[in-house]
Amino acid sequence: MLLRSVLLALCFVVPVTAQSPPGFYADDGTSRSRLLSGLWINDFLFAANGEAPERYYQTVEFGDSTIVHAYFSDDPRVLSDERPYTTVVSLWSVGTFVDPDASRADIDVIRLQPVAVVSYDDRRDRSRTVTGNYAPQFRQFAFSDDAERLTLS
């Protein structure tokens, strides 16, 4: 009886809001998933240990439930037989992240759950695959007005 009274009292103390609880909410097959499907290619600059930045390339291929990120030191569109130096295979879903701060807007995100990382050693001409229980990652995304450009943060 005392426990029921405490729980009933808590119901009146905890404020009720219209906002969903903080966290990730997966879409249920919306068109956003279909827009993401396919192959996206980008390039970026990276500098290590104070060296001059070098240009690298990334392909991101969205399948039905898996995504493959492949990283290249040369443009894979020019060198079609270029082997990626690292490939990350993940399960993915698109959805919305509700911020714990109710004053902030909800964010469109892609949830990535890595399942394998493949690293290629060109000196030995071998690949090494590491599988494990990786933590999920969330990437904010946006499309250009014409849906031809995808921006990931």
Side-chain angles (χ1 to χ4, degrees):
M1 185 67 168
L2 178 61
L3 179 60
R4 188 182 318 172
S5 299
V6 170
L7 290 175
L8 186 59
L10 282 176
C11 289
F12 292 108
V13 174
V14 176
V16 177
T17 64
Q19 181 188 20
S20 299
F24 173 72
Y25 294 89
D27 287 354
D28 52 1
T30 66
S31 61
R32 294 190 308 173
S33 294
R34 287 188 291 280
L35 281 173
L36 284 166
S37 294
L39 179 66
W40 299 85
I41 300 174
N42 70 3
D43 61 286
F44 58 95
L45 296 174
F46 179 75
N49 301 325
E51 297 174 359
E54 291 187 45
R55 184 168 306 279
Y56 292 91
Y57 299 85
Q58 175 190 31
T59 60
V60 181
E61 188 167 4
F62 288 89
D64 287 338
S65 62
T66 58
I67 181 174
V68 177
H69 294 263
Y71 297 88
F72 301 86
S73 53
D74 292 309
D75 190 342
R77 293 169 290 197
V78 175
L79 302 170
S80 61
D81 62 344
E82 177 75 3
R83 181 177 284 191
Y85 59 85
T86 299
T87 302
V88 180
V89 179
S90 303
L91 301 175
W92 73 281
S93 58
V94 66
T96 303
F97 178 78
V98 176
D99 196 290
D101 181 350
S103 68
R104 299 182 74 176
D106 295 348
I107 303 168
D108 292 332
V109 295
I110 300 168
R111 181 185 189 274
L112 303 170
Q113 179 65 58
V115 293
V117 176
V118 181
S119 298
Y120 177 67
D121 183 346
D122 61 347
R123 290 178 295 197
R124 295 183 180 148
D125 194 29
R126 293 196 281 204
S127 294
R128 180 177 158 214
T129 302
V130 179
T131 59
N133 190 12
Y134 297 100
Q137 302 170 9
F138 296 89
R139 302 280 305 270
Q140 185 175 359
F141 73 96
F143 291 105
S144 60
D145 290 339
D146 61 4
E148 292 294 318
R149 187 167 179 84
L150 171 67
T151 302
L152 294 173
S153 64

